[in-house]
Amino acid sequence: RIESFSKHKLTQAQFPTEKDLLERREIKIIEQLENWLETDSFQREEELVSYLAASGHDPLKVAAAALKMARQADAEQPISRISTVQFKDKKRGAGNSKRRSQPARKSARRRKPTAGAEHERGMVRFTLNRGRSHGINPGEIVGGIASRADIPGSGIGRITINQENTLVDIKEEFATAVLNKSGTYHFKRHHNMELIEVKDR
């Protein structure tokens, strides 16, 4: 029904696995470390590392222990299991008469929603100016947002990929975290992307 309404064929994509999300977390840590290394504003920390090295500790192990401490927050935020999406058989209900299907199509045209009109209850809708024509898929959206904004995959709701843009519903409790990272999202070859909140009309 969605395909007939939008006149576009929907492609099935895979959600990211737990391994994918863990890898994204590690990439995020590396990016943060690289940013700190560029700023070179950690003189006191250098003094502490020098002290530990002078005490006989291997500097490489000191760095590894510091990373372990930094990742404790991730350990306290386990990745929620993402449920498998169930697709209904397209042929189901094909035996209905043409007379019954015609009014339904007319009704659908009358109820054509606006971009921000039908987000899920308890959700905030965001828009991304990349869509089907740019090769965007749901797995990239979930993985990119969850890892960058540091929210669970279960905090991401309905994803609607249009030809030139994508609509994403985020649970209200995570909306601020998602908005704060706008302009820093990476979806494969698309970098520093913005997620803009869609205001209700």
Side-chain angles (χ1 to χ4, degrees):
R1 293 181 61 185
I2 295 176
E3 290 179 343
S4 62
F5 178 74
S6 65
K7 306 301 182 185
H8 293 291
K9 182 174 179 59
L10 300 180
T11 56
Q12 182 177 348
Q14 296 296 322
F15 281 103
T17 63
E18 181 177 353
K19 180 181 177 182
D20 294 332
L21 295 180
L22 288 173
E23 287 178 352
R24 286 296 304 170
R25 284 186 175 182
E26 291 179 349
I27 291 172
K28 178 182 177 182
I29 289 178
I30 291 173
E31 290 174 346
Q32 291 175 334
L33 281 171
E34 289 176 339
N35 289 336
W36 275 106
L37 289 170
E38 289 176 2
T39 62
D40 193 23
S41 58
F42 40 80
Q43 287 76 18
R44 179 53 183 161
E45 286 74 16
E46 280 187 313
E47 293 174 2
L48 293 174
V49 173
S50 297
Y51 171 79
L52 290 169
S55 300
H57 295 285
D58 184 344
L60 184 61
K61 290 189 175 181
V62 172
L67 273 174
K68 185 72 173 179
M69 292 172 61
R71 297 180 66 181
Q72 286 300 312
D74 284 344
E76 294 171 1
Q77 292 184 334
I79 296 173
S80 302
R81 181 178 178 273
I82 299 176
S83 302
T84 303
V85 178
Q86 300 294 330
F87 293 93
K88 293 183 179 181
D89 186 355
K90 293 181 180 180
K91 296 181 180 180
R92 186 176 181 181
N96 292 341
S97 67
K98 186 176 181 180
R99 182 182 302 174
R100 292 180 59 187
S101 63
Q102 287 177 342
R105 287 197 297 270
K106 291 180 180 178
S107 177
R109 284 196 294 269
R110 287 196 300 269
R111 298 194 305 270
K112 184 177 180 179
T114 60
E118 293 191 351
H119 61 74
E120 298 179 65
R121 184 184 300 275
M123 295 282 188
V124 176
R125 175 156 290 183
F126 289 83
T127 181
L128 169 73
N129 67 343
R130 292 292 187 276
R132 192 178 302 106
S133 66
H134 305 95
I136 290 293
N137 66 61
E140 293 176 26
I141 297 296
V142 174
I145 295 176
S147 62
R148 196 66 177 170
D150 199 16
I151 66 173
S154 59
I156 301 173
R158 180 186 302 157
I159 298 173
T160 305
I161 301 180
N162 300 314
Q163 189 67 15
E164 298 297 332
N165 74 315
T166 297
L167 302 175
V168 185
D169 289 349
I170 303 292
K171 285 187 177 179
E172 290 178 345
E173 61 191 284
F174 301 119
T176 299
V178 170
L179 191 60
N180 287 342
K181 292 295 182 179
S182 183
T184 68
Y185 292 104
H186 302 299
F187 306 108
K188 284 192 176 178
R189 64 181 181 277
H190 307 288
H191 303 293
N192 300 322
M193 301 303 302
E194 290 186 339
L195 281 173
I196 301 173
E197 182 179 349
V198 177
K199 300 294 185 180
D200 291 332
R201 296 178 180 179

